[in-house]
Amino acid sequence: MNTLIPIDYYELIYYNVLLLIVVVIFMQSFKLEVQDVANLKGKNVFGILFLFFLILYIGLRPINYRFGDMLNYYNEFLEYQNGYPFDTSKDFVFEVFKYFFAKNLTAPLFFFTCALLYLLPLYFGAKKIFNDYWFYAFLMLAISFSFWGYGVNGIRNGIASSLFILAISKDKWISKYMLFLLIIFIHKSLIIPILVYFLVSKYSNTKVYLYFWFLTIPLSLAMGGFWENLFLSAGFNDDKLSLYIGGVDQASEGVTLKIGFRWDFLLYSATGIFAAWFFIIKKKFNDKTYSLICNIYIVANGFWILVIRASYSNRFSYLSWFLLGLVIIYPLLKNKFYENQHRKIGIIIILYFGFTYLLNVILAK
């Protein structure tokens, strides 16, 4: 499929647009206070434009092997168009969605709708949780290390994780649980953060979960593949999850995958652990929703550490990483901790994106 943008530069252009946006936001953070009415009005308008940019750029991308699993989805789409029977072995809701589009609409419209389902729940979730400050939370999600990959490659997982953020923003338990059920039938690996949600809803002691996280590191180092086999034998033996835990390496993940203990990924994850400790334990920030998000992140990330040597470790880690931007920025949008707090937010945004740019652009070369 042809595009006005050369396919070899499609992702590079995206990250450099983000770089420009992040630099502008960083510079503006030194001019106005975050709660300033002019700042919030400007960020709201800019946020809407940014959302439309993401929808159009991700949703209208060409169908190309450079986007990993997108080509697999397209081949399955063509099979349905050519009369292939409905595949009952896959995640039911997403398969119905794909089957309907294949029989009635077009592949470009299918992928555009996938982009909407990926991005709009993040927008509505951020608006619900952060109100006038939603742009900063949405930006942190959009500049996360895995955000691009799960919009164009791990599409089902990306949609399911976005709906999870929307679900935890809901006040009514009926709508929350209905979304959880929908999520499981879109990508069943999300059952892990969903189960963790119910655990931390009943027991919310963040300090205990932090102890658990630190304990998983020596357990993973000492016991090697034991945890991978345990998960596969304990009911997590879905074909897709089995591939993530025990499958072979593949080059379509956006970064070079290395089998082994990923100290770089562990350090990246530790930024969320530090944020949770700093705000909840040290600063005594008492916010029920924040504690919930942090505790889900800590426990789900701990499970990933146990299987960190898996060849698809990055996909397993995404079951916590999709919350990382919120874990880091949430308290600064809800409470005043510092003088010139807007500057602190600007610095955090540029440092957070710095890791994304380093791995996905500089080191990717």
Side-chain angles (χ1 to χ4, degrees):
M1 183 176 178
N2 294 324
T3 176
L4 295 175
I5 301 171
I7 193 64
D8 290 342
Y9 296 100
Y10 205 89
E11 185 175 349
L12 180 63
I13 290 172
Y14 168 78
Y15 280 117
N16 280 291
V17 169
L18 288 190
L19 177 62
L20 176 62
I21 291 171
V22 165
V23 169
V24 170
I25 298 302
F26 172 72
M27 294 174 65
Q28 287 180 340
S29 70
F30 285 78
K31 297 179 180 179
L32 293 171
E33 288 300 320
V34 67
Q35 72 274 12
D36 190 284
V37 173
N39 176 62
L40 293 177
K41 285 185 177 179
K43 293 299 189 297
N44 184 65
V45 173
F46 186 78
I48 297 297
L49 294 175
F50 181 52
L51 173 63
F52 274 102
F53 162 73
L54 291 175
I55 290 172
L56 295 175
Y57 200 78
I58 294 176
L60 298 180
R61 69 192 184 279
I63 299 171
N64 191 279
Y65 75 94
R66 293 292 295 268
F67 301 119
D69 282 349
M70 182 187 190
L71 197 59
N72 294 333
Y73 288 123
Y74 180 61
N75 289 332
E76 293 167 358
F77 192 95
L78 293 179
E79 287 177 347
Y80 280 148
Q81 285 187 328
N82 293 326
Y84 193 85
F86 182 81
D87 191 344
T88 58
S89 67
K90 296 182 178 179
D91 295 298
F92 181 74
V93 169
F94 190 83
E95 206 62 22
V96 168
F97 168 65
K98 182 168 57 182
Y99 187 84
F100 172 81
F101 270 77
K103 291 298 185 181
N104 299 282
L105 299 165
T106 65
L109 188 57
F110 167 74
F111 288 112
F112 184 79
T113 306
C114 286
L116 290 176
L117 293 174
Y118 182 49
L119 294 162
L120 290 181
L122 298 180
Y123 166 72
F124 288 116
K127 286 279 286 186
K128 181 68 170 62
I129 297 173
F130 298 99
N131 299 312
D132 292 338
Y133 301 90
W134 70 270
F135 168 75
Y136 295 96
F138 184 80
L139 179 65
M140 284 291 284
L141 294 170
I143 63 175
S144 294
F145 166 58
S146 297
F147 179 82
W148 171 261
Y150 283 84
V152 304
N153 177 20
I155 298 171
R156 281 189 306 126
N157 200 346
I159 292 172
S161 61
S162 294
L163 289 172
F164 183 90
I165 290 175
L166 179 63
I168 61 177
S169 75
K170 298 292 184 181
D171 297 321
K172 296 182 179 179
W173 68 269
I174 294 179
S175 56
K176 190 190 301 287
Y177 293 171
M178 289 292 288
L179 277 171
F180 281 163
L181 186 62
L182 177 67
I183 289 164
I184 291 171
F185 284 103
I186 291 175
H187 201 287
K188 62 177 65 71
S189 70
L190 265 289
I191 197 171
I192 293 175
I194 289 172
L195 289 175
V196 173
Y197 166 86
F198 287 108
L199 168 66
V200 303
S201 296
K202 298 297 182 182
Y203 185 74
S204 59
N205 191 329
T206 301
K207 187 176 291 186
V208 171
Y209 294 128
L210 288 171
Y211 287 144
F212 162 76
W213 187 87
F214 281 105
L215 181 62
T216 61
I217 298 173
L219 287 176
S220 180
L221 286 169
M223 302 179 71
F226 167 79
W227 300 108
E228 297 167 21
N229 295 328
L230 178 64
F231 283 129
L232 292 176
S233 63
F236 295 108
N237 57 352
D238 163 65
D239 288 343
K240 197 72 172 178
L241 192 55
S242 297
L243 176 63
Y244 295 166
I245 296 177
V248 296
D249 199 1
Q250 179 175 310
S252 65
E253 297 304 294
V255 294
T256 301
L257 299 183
K258 296 182 293 184
I259 299 174
F261 198 91
R262 295 301 305 265
W263 290 104
D264 51 349
F265 283 0
L266 182 66
L267 289 173
Y268 179 62
S269 297
T271 59
I273 302 303
F274 174 79
W277 168 82
F278 182 79
F279 289 113
I280 295 177
I281 307 301
K282 183 176 175 60
K283 291 292 187 179
K284 309 297 183 184
F285 177 59
N286 185 19
D287 183 288
K288 184 178 179 180
T289 302
Y290 183 63
S291 295
L292 182 75
I293 292 171
C294 283
N295 291 342
I296 294 171
Y297 173 82
I298 294 166
V299 177
N301 194 258
F303 281 123
W304 159 69
I305 292 173
L306 294 176
V307 296
I308 198 171
R309 292 174 178 81
S311 55
Y312 276 85
S313 170
N314 65 317
R315 290 210 175 190
F316 207 82
S317 64
Y318 187 70
L319 299 177
S320 57
W321 280 357
F322 74 94
L323 294 170
L324 181 56
L326 299 183
V327 171
I328 292 173
I329 202 66
Y330 187 112
L332 296 172
L333 302 179
K334 289 287 187 175
N335 193 43
K336 186 173 177 62
F337 292 94
Y338 307 102
E339 293 297 324
N340 299 318
Q341 186 155 302
H342 199 191
R343 297 183 185 180
K344 299 291 193 298
I345 292 172
I347 292 169
I348 287 172
I349 288 172
I350 204 162
L351 290 176
Y352 187 67
F353 179 67
F355 181 88
T356 297
Y357 197 84
L358 175 66
L359 262 68
N360 289 330
V361 178
I362 298 174
L363 296 183
K365 292 181 180 179

